[in-house]
Amino acid sequence: MQRNLLPILLLACAFVSTALAQSVPPNIVVILADDLGYGDVGFNGCPDYATPNIDSIANNGILCTSGYVTHSFCSPSRAALLTGRYSQRFGYENQPTVDSTNPRLGLPMDELPLSQMLKSAGYVCGTIGKWHLGYAPNFHPLNRGFDEFFGFLDGSSNYYNAKVLRDYTSVTETEYLTDAFTREGVSFINRHATEPFFLYLSYNAVHAPYDQPPAIYMDRVANIADPQRQNYAAMVVALDDGVGQVLQALQANNILNNTLIFFLSDNGAPPHPFVRNLPLRGYKHDVLEGGIRVPFAVQ
């Protein structure tokens, strides 16, 4: 089924507006992977490891085989995702320079992100993971409609001993970062299960650096002979486990059937020999299919 991301998210907003008249408005969870190859999930034919939790979103919902993002690299794609507008329409076509003193280098302040729309509709909004939409204080997630933030502002992060922010406070995360973001996502769901919420769970997996994940994940892809491919696969397996824990938290709180769940990547995979963008031509930074057509499922 062919779907473009922007109308899907706008449809979600329309659904929420209609549902506000109901007693229990639907929750919204957007799970965003980073640089995930089109062919690196099971529902798109990944041959050498399994992604059962990501696949379950497609199996229990809609598999969008032609899901497109609006840009072939991180920040403009994310800007479009959160605003529902092509970033070219508001002049946002490059990565923001790392400059915490410049209040203009980020998602323009006159653009209205989904978090601000939903907050005004009575939703509690949380974002976890990679932000990459500006570094100055005015661009901080808590100043763009989010009530909670756990993650980093930059375009990438170490996976071990990562420097992250909890709201405005800097902390060192000692857990493997993918697992830490999952932990925080589950916590957000558990704490807000009795009220309508929007969770933007923006993993930095499987973006570089390609740090070796914990043994629990490496052991599950021991069948892969290429060490780089094995390491990458273990990173995806960690991501898939995280998706599974999020789904389990929704189920445990008896809100799975009242939650819109989106899974996708921000853009295509980079041109490394150990990623699988097949059957598409091109990679991240390209406007060929491999740069802008991504794994995409909705439940």
Side-chain angles (χ1 to χ4, degrees), residues 268-271 277-278 280-292:
N277 238 17
L278 296 175
L280 308 181
R281 186 165 62 102
Y283 294 90
K284 177 181 180 178
H285 295 291
D286 295 336
V287 290
L288 298 169
E289 292 280 281
I292 55 176

Side-chain angles (χ1 to χ4, degrees), residues 170-246:
S170 179
V171 297
T172 299
E173 176 55 60
T174 57
E175 193 172 4
Y176 181 65
L177 197 55
T178 301
D179 293 344
F181 289 157
T182 297
R183 178 196 72 216
E184 295 295 323
V186 169
S187 173
F188 181 88
I189 291 168
N190 290 337
R191 287 183 287 109
H192 298 291
T194 60
E195 56 189 327
F197 65 78
F198 167 45
L199 172 60
Y200 174 47
L201 181 51
S202 176
Y203 286 100
N204 60 315
V206 287
H207 193 290
Y210 299 104
D211 296 332
Q212 189 175 91
I216 186 175
Y217 302 120
M218 293 295 292
D219 291 347
R220 286 160 55 187
V221 292
N223 59 296
I224 299 176
D226 178 2
Q228 289 183 306
R229 175 67 177 172
Q230 183 188 45
N231 190 77
Y232 176 86
M235 295 173 71
V236 181
V237 169
L239 171 66
D240 183 74
D241 274 16
V243 172
Q245 291 181 48
V246 168

